[in-house]
Amino acid sequence: MKRVCVTGAGGYIGSWAVKLLLSKGYVVHGTVRDPCDETKNGHLKKLEHAEERLHLFKADMLDYESLCAAFAGCSGVIHVASPVPLHVASTVPGLRIPNPQVEQLDPAILGTQNVLKACSKAKVEKVVVVSSGAAVMVNPKWTSDMELDESCWTDIVHANSTQNWYALSKTKAEMEALNFAKRHDMKVVTICPSIVIGPMLQSTINATSLLLLSYMKEEGRARGDSMENIKRPYVDIRDVSEAIILLYENLESNGRYICSAYTLTTKEFVAKMECLYPGYNYPKIFRGQTSSASLNSGKLLKLGWNYRPLEETIVDTIKNYEEAGFLEKGKPFPSTVTF
C-alpha cells in the first residue's frame, strides 16, 4: 500500500487532498503544526479511513529534520503548506503583512527548499507542489485580451515593487521547485490553481472563503452595498484536489499545470449566487470593471481533468456556510479584512 505525505494537511486544500487520498486507499502522512490541536486538525481524524490509515506528524516547513521524519517511507509528497494571508483575494495584496520576509517569503521559499531536500533524502519518487495562479498572472506585460498558459510567469520585480508578497512568494517557490527537479533529476510537478472556492472541511475560515462570504454579507465589504466589479478566475476545491491526485498518479504529468475553471466578474458571480440563494445581503452597486488576462487549463484538461458546474459549487458552498454558521451576522470576518 503506497504512502503519500501531504504538507499543510489541516488547511483548506490539504484537507481535501487527504480526504481524496484516503478514499483511494493510500496510507497518508500529514504534516501539521500541532497534531493535538483539535480546533485546527480534529476534522482530519474524523475522515473516513483516517483511524487506520492517517498519521499526523508535527512539522514546520523551516525545520528540515521534522520533514525528514514525516516523509520517511513515502513514495510521494504533495506540498501544500504555504502562508496565505486572509486578504490575498483582495485588491491590496501585501499591504497588511508587517514582516513579509518572516511571515510570507521565508516559509514559502525556504520551506519549499527544505521539502525538496527532505524528499531527496527520503528517496521520494514524485512530488506535486501546489503553487498558485498568482505565480502566473501578476505581470504588467499581460493584457486583458490574453490567455495565459504554463509558459507565463509573474514578474518578480513587479511583484516586489508593488509589495505583492503572496505572488512573489509563490512564484519564487515554484521556480525553485522546478529548478531543483532539474538539478537533482527528481520528478516534480507543479499546479497553479486560480481562486479556490467550495465547501470547507476545516473549521477555521480561509482567505478565498472570506471573499465569497463578502459577496453575501455587508460586514465583509469595505463600502456596504457596493463592490468593485473585478474579473476573477475560480475553481472548485474538490476539482483542485482531484487535479492534484491526477498529477501525482499520471505517469505522463510533467512541468507545471494551470488549474482554473471559470472566469467571471463580481457582478456575474453575485447574480448566479442570488439566483440560487435569494434573500442574502448581496451588493447592489458594482463599480467599474477591472479586467485581467484569463487562465488556460488546456494542458490539465488533456491529461483527463474535469471540473463540475459552477452552480453545483455555489449550492454546496452556501450549504456548507449555512451549516457552519458563517452567514450569521457578525461572523466570521476579522475586523481588519474587508473586500
Side-chain angles (χ1 to χ4, degrees):
M1 193 176 291
K2 284 196 172 184
R3 291 177 180 265
V4 173
C5 184
V6 178
T7 69
Y12 187 36
I13 296 176
S15 297
W16 276 101
V18 169
K19 178 181 172 68
L20 185 54
L21 286 165
L22 288 172
S23 74
K24 293 172 72 71
Y26 287 90
V27 173
V28 181
H29 291 193
T31 74
V32 295
R33 290 285 183 93
D34 181 2
C36 298
D37 188 335
E38 291 300 310
T39 300
K40 290 186 177 180
N41 304 310
H43 64 285
L44 294 174
K45 301 171 187 177
K46 297 174 185 175
L47 294 174
E48 190 174 5
H49 307 299
E51 190 172 348
E52 63 265 31
R53 287 193 269 110
L54 175 63
H55 307 280
L56 296 181
F57 290 77
K58 179 180 174 64
D60 187 299
M61 296 307 102
L62 297 180
D63 182 353
Y64 169 75
E65 295 300 332
S66 69
L67 294 172
C68 289
F71 299 167
C74 291
S75 57
V77 167
I78 295 168
H79 177 40
V80 184
S82 187
V84 182
L86 284 178
H87 57 278
V88 71
S90 78
T91 56
V92 283
L95 192 61
R96 302 184 185 105
I97 303 179
N99 192 336
Q101 190 67 48
V102 173
E103 296 176 47
Q104 185 72 53
L105 299 173
D106 285 350
I109 301 164
L110 299 181
T112 296
Q113 292 173 352
N114 281 337
V115 164
L116 295 169
K117 290 174 185 175
C119 285
S120 180
K121 181 180 179 181
K123 294 182 170 51
V124 170
E125 295 170 10
K126 192 172 187 179
V127 184
V128 178
V129 174
V130 179
S131 183
S132 169
V136 180
M137 301 185 74
V138 183
N139 193 319
K141 294 178 183 177
W142 308 152
T143 57
S144 60
D145 61 341
M146 290 180 66
E147 193 172 59
L148 307 181
D149 61 18
E150 287 76 11
S151 68
C152 300
W153 286 89
T154 279
D155 185 294
I156 289 176
V157 174
H158 176 71
N160 188 64
S161 66
T162 56
Q163 297 187 341
N164 193 333
W165 308 123
Y166 178 71
L168 181 63
S169 70
K170 297 302 285 188
T171 305
K172 294 187 77 171
E174 186 184 1
M175 287 178 170
E176 173 59 29
L178 293 172
N179 288 332
F180 187 97
K182 291 177 183 177
R183 294 196 307 269
H184 297 272
D185 195 26
M186 179 183 289
K187 185 70 172 178
V188 176
V189 178
T190 64
I191 182 170
C192 300
S194 58
I195 295 175
V196 184
I197 58 174
M200 303 184 309
L201 295 175
Q202 84 283 7
S203 61
T204 52
I205 197 76
N206 59 290
T208 52
S209 293
L210 280 175
L211 173 64
L212 241 58
L213 281 170
S214 74
Y215 294 171
M216 306 178 73
K217 301 183 69 177
E218 188 172 349
E219 59 257 50
R221 302 194 287 267
R223 299 191 184 183
D225 269 354
S226 72
M227 290 192 84
E228 288 190 62
N229 196 26
I230 301 172
K231 193 174 184 180
R232 293 182 173 104
Y234 302 87
V235 64
D236 190 295
I237 180 65
R238 296 162 293 186
D239 297 330
V240 173
S241 64
E242 288 166 6
I244 290 168
I245 309 308
L246 170 66
L247 293 178
Y248 172 67
E249 293 181 335
N250 193 299
L251 298 177
E252 297 180 4
S253 65
N254 66 90
R256 75 195 301 228
Y257 289 81
I258 289 171
C259 181
S260 188
Y262 304 99
T263 300
L264 299 92
T265 63
T266 310
K267 184 177 182 179
E268 290 168 338
F269 202 109
V270 167
K272 286 185 176 291
M273 296 177 84
E274 192 165 12
C275 180
L276 293 164
Y277 282 89
Y280 285 105
N281 192 348
Y282 298 102
K284 297 173 178 60
I285 302 166
F286 299 91
R287 305 187 309 274
Q289 180 170 326
T290 305
S291 297
S292 61
S294 59
L295 294 171
N296 184 336
S297 299
K299 184 181 177 186
L300 188 58
L301 289 165
K302 286 179 182 177
L303 210 61
W305 179 66
N306 291 297
Y307 51 86
R308 65 202 69 216
L310 179 59
E311 290 76 13
E312 180 182 336
T313 299
I314 291 173
V315 167
D316 292 348
T317 303
I318 295 178
K319 283 181 180 178
N320 177 237
Y321 292 169
E322 288 176 337
E323 291 170 1
F326 290 150
L327 291 167
E328 297 172 14
K329 188 172 178 59
K331 296 180 181 180
F333 282 93
S335 60
T336 55
V337 178
T338 53
F339 295 89

